[in-house]
Amino acid sequence: MSPPDALPPWRPLLRGAREREGRSPQARWLQLATVAADGTPRVRTLVFRGWAGATALDLLTDGRSAKPAELVHQPAVELCWLLPRARSQFRLRGCLQTLSLEQEPRERERHWQMLSPSGRALWGWPPPGEPFNSEAAFPERLPDGSPLPDHFQLLRIALNQVELLELTSHPHRRRCWRESTGWVEELLNP
Ligand SMILES: Cc1cc2nc3c(=O)[nH]c(=O)nc-3n(C[C@H](O)[C@H](O)[C@H](O)COP(=O)(O)O)c2cc1C
């Protein structure tokens, strides 16, 4: 077993695969799968917003969108991160983490400050998924210093299993790491 803050073996592999993408914004896009209240699946693309320690990652969303309610009902998620230049697919399983009362506002504020004015603007738009109203305001920018809206939501996902499929060799290479076994690498058939 490695110390809790040591990087698990899949982290350098993921970093290497992301580096192969160069400056492409796609290197930060991943798909988040959730389960809706009726038990049916939902999936959508989100931007990776950074690591929170060795095995948790941060996502940002609009609290008025569908996914936060789905996560209340089922906090377990799967993320799929395709890094095409490395011909690698990472499948990350985890659970929505509840932040402490001191940590949550601090971390939300930190992410809010780090966004560019155009990145922040989305949280100035009307509620996602509601009928479009052409009269409504859709700002292109929210300048630095704009107040943090209540619906600016941080999703911190604590990961408990990572699977990597690489198509770079014959046969393809599939590996899995689980938190429950100390992130020891398991080789699987592709
Ligand atoms: C490239 C790309 C990046 C996106 N990044 C985010 C993001 O970081 N956070 C987010 O909430 N939605 C993001 N979206 C929009 C979501 O995919 C989705 O449409 C929206 O969050 C509503 O999802 P929901 O109704 O399932 O909650 C992104 C979409 C694309 C195409």
Side-chain angles (χ1 to χ4, degrees), residues 63 85 88 128-129 147 150 176:
R85 294 228 171 108
S88 293
D150 288 344
C176 182

mmCIF file with all atom_site columns, all heavy atoms in Angstrom, residues 63 85 88 128-129 147 150 176:
data_model
loop_
_atom_site.group_PDB
_atom_site.id
_atom_site.type_symbol
_atom_site.label_atom_id
_atom_site.label_alt_id
_atom_site.label_comp_id
_atom_site.label_asym_id
_atom_site.label_entity_id
_atom_site.label_seq_id
_atom_site.pdbx_PDB_ins_code
_atom_site.Cartn_x
_atom_site.Cartn_y
_atom_site.Cartn_z
_atom_site.occupancy
_atom_site.B_iso_or_equiv
_atom_site.pdbx_formal_charge
_atom_site.auth_seq_id
_atom_site.auth_comp_id
_atom_site.auth_asym_id
_atom_site.auth_atom_id
_atom_site.pdbx_PDB_model_num
ATOM 1  N N   . GLY A 1 63  ? -25.919 24.451 -11.005 1.00 0.00 ? 63  GLY A N   1
ATOM 2  C CA  . GLY A 1 63  ? -26.779 23.747 -10.043 1.00 0.00 ? 63  GLY A CA  1
ATOM 3  C C   . GLY A 1 63  ? -28.216 23.612 -10.519 1.00 0.00 ? 63  GLY A C   1
ATOM 4  O O   . GLY A 1 63  ? -28.973 22.799 -9.990  1.00 0.00 ? 63  GLY A O   1
ATOM 5  N N   . ARG A 1 85  ? -4.829  11.048 -29.400 1.00 0.00 ? 85  ARG A N   1
ATOM 6  C CA  . ARG A 1 85  ? -3.441  10.960 -29.894 1.00 0.00 ? 85  ARG A CA  1
ATOM 7  C C   . ARG A 1 85  ? -2.712  9.801  -29.238 1.00 0.00 ? 85  ARG A C   1
ATOM 8  O O   . ARG A 1 85  ? -1.880  9.149  -29.880 1.00 0.00 ? 85  ARG A O   1
ATOM 9  C CB  . ARG A 1 85  ? -2.679  12.269 -29.645 1.00 0.00 ? 85  ARG A CB  1
ATOM 10 C CG  . ARG A 1 85  ? -3.218  13.418 -30.440 1.00 0.00 ? 85  ARG A CG  1
ATOM 11 C CD  . ARG A 1 85  ? -2.102  14.203 -31.147 1.00 0.00 ? 85  ARG A CD  1
ATOM 12 N NE  . ARG A 1 85  ? -2.678  15.157 -32.056 1.00 0.00 ? 85  ARG A NE  1
ATOM 13 C CZ  . ARG A 1 85  ? -2.687  16.473 -31.869 1.00 0.00 ? 85  ARG A CZ  1
ATOM 14 N NH1 . ARG A 1 85  ? -2.118  16.987 -30.803 1.00 0.00 ? 85  ARG A NH1 1
ATOM 15 N NH2 . ARG A 1 85  ? -3.263  17.258 -32.743 1.00 0.00 ? 85  ARG A NH2 1
ATOM 16 N N   . SER A 1 88  ? -5.888  6.215  -26.276 1.00 0.00 ? 88  SER A N   1
ATOM 17 C CA  . SER A 1 88  ? -6.139  5.713  -24.923 1.00 0.00 ? 88  SER A CA  1
ATOM 18 C C   . SER A 1 88  ? -7.521  6.126  -24.431 1.00 0.00 ? 88  SER A C   1
ATOM 19 O O   . SER A 1 88  ? -7.929  7.278  -24.598 1.00 0.00 ? 88  SER A O   1
ATOM 20 C CB  . SER A 1 88  ? -5.103  6.287  -23.950 1.00 0.00 ? 88  SER A CB  1
ATOM 21 O OG  . SER A 1 88  ? -3.826  5.781  -24.246 1.00 0.00 ? 88  SER A OG  1
ATOM 22 N N   . PRO A 1 128 ? -30.382 26.227 -17.576 1.00 0.00 ? 128 PRO A N   1
ATOM 23 C CA  . PRO A 1 128 ? -30.189 25.272 -18.668 1.00 0.00 ? 128 PRO A CA  1
ATOM 24 C C   . PRO A 1 128 ? -31.351 24.296 -18.792 1.00 0.00 ? 128 PRO A C   1
ATOM 25 O O   . PRO A 1 128 ? -31.910 23.861 -17.788 1.00 0.00 ? 128 PRO A O   1
ATOM 26 C CB  . PRO A 1 128 ? -28.900 24.537 -18.285 1.00 0.00 ? 128 PRO A CB  1
ATOM 27 C CG  . PRO A 1 128 ? -28.552 24.938 -16.909 1.00 0.00 ? 128 PRO A CG  1
ATOM 28 C CD  . PRO A 1 128 ? -29.348 26.136 -16.538 1.00 0.00 ? 128 PRO A CD  1
ATOM 29 N N   . GLY A 1 129 ? -31.717 23.994 -20.031 1.00 0.00 ? 129 GLY A N   1
ATOM 30 C CA  . GLY A 1 129 ? -32.754 22.990 -20.276 1.00 0.00 ? 129 GLY A CA  1
ATOM 31 C C   . GLY A 1 129 ? -34.161 23.548 -20.278 1.00 0.00 ? 129 GLY A C   1
ATOM 32 O O   . GLY A 1 129 ? -35.096 22.840 -20.653 1.00 0.00 ? 129 GLY A O   1
ATOM 33 N N   . PRO A 1 147 ? -19.999 38.711 -8.689  1.00 0.00 ? 147 PRO A N   1
ATOM 34 C CA  . PRO A 1 147 ? -20.335 37.871 -7.542  1.00 0.00 ? 147 PRO A CA  1
ATOM 35 C C   . PRO A 1 147 ? -20.594 36.437 -7.953  1.00 0.00 ? 147 PRO A C   1
ATOM 36 O O   . PRO A 1 147 ? -21.100 36.166 -9.048  1.00 0.00 ? 147 PRO A O   1
ATOM 37 C CB  . PRO A 1 147 ? -21.607 38.532 -6.976  1.00 0.00 ? 147 PRO A CB  1
ATOM 38 C CG  . PRO A 1 147 ? -22.157 39.362 -8.084  1.00 0.00 ? 147 PRO A CG  1
ATOM 39 C CD  . PRO A 1 147 ? -21.004 39.733 -8.977  1.00 0.00 ? 147 PRO A CD  1
ATOM 40 N N   . ASP A 1 150 ? -25.344 31.533 -6.724  1.00 0.00 ? 150 ASP A N   1
ATOM 41 C CA  . ASP A 1 150 ? -25.684 30.353 -5.912  1.00 0.00 ? 150 ASP A CA  1
ATOM 42 C C   . ASP A 1 150 ? -25.626 29.082 -6.736  1.00 0.00 ? 150 ASP A C   1
ATOM 43 O O   . ASP A 1 150 ? -25.333 28.012 -6.227  1.00 0.00 ? 150 ASP A O   1
ATOM 44 C CB  . ASP A 1 150 ? -27.104 30.479 -5.334  1.00 0.00 ? 150 ASP A CB  1
ATOM 45 C CG  . ASP A 1 150 ? -27.163 31.513 -4.226  1.00 0.00 ? 150 ASP A CG  1
ATOM 46 O OD1 . ASP A 1 150 ? -26.087 31.885 -3.714  1.00 0.00 ? 150 ASP A OD1 1
ATOM 47 O OD2 . ASP A 1 150 ? -28.289 31.941 -3.889  1.00 0.00 ? 150 ASP A OD2 1
ATOM 48 N N   . CYS A 1 176 ? -6.386  -2.269 -15.098 1.00 0.00 ? 176 CYS A N   1
ATOM 49 C CA  . CYS A 1 176 ? -7.344  -1.740 -14.123 1.00 0.00 ? 176 CYS A CA  1
ATOM 50 C C   . CYS A 1 176 ? -6.643  -1.541 -12.778 1.00 0.00 ? 176 CYS A C   1
ATOM 51 O O   . CYS A 1 176 ? -5.755  -2.326 -12.420 1.00 0.00 ? 176 CYS A O   1
ATOM 52 C CB  . CYS A 1 176 ? -8.493  -2.745 -13.986 1.00 0.00 ? 176 CYS A CB  1
ATOM 53 S SG  . CYS A 1 176 ? -9.785  -2.208 -12.863 1.00 0.00 ? 176 CYS A SG  1
#
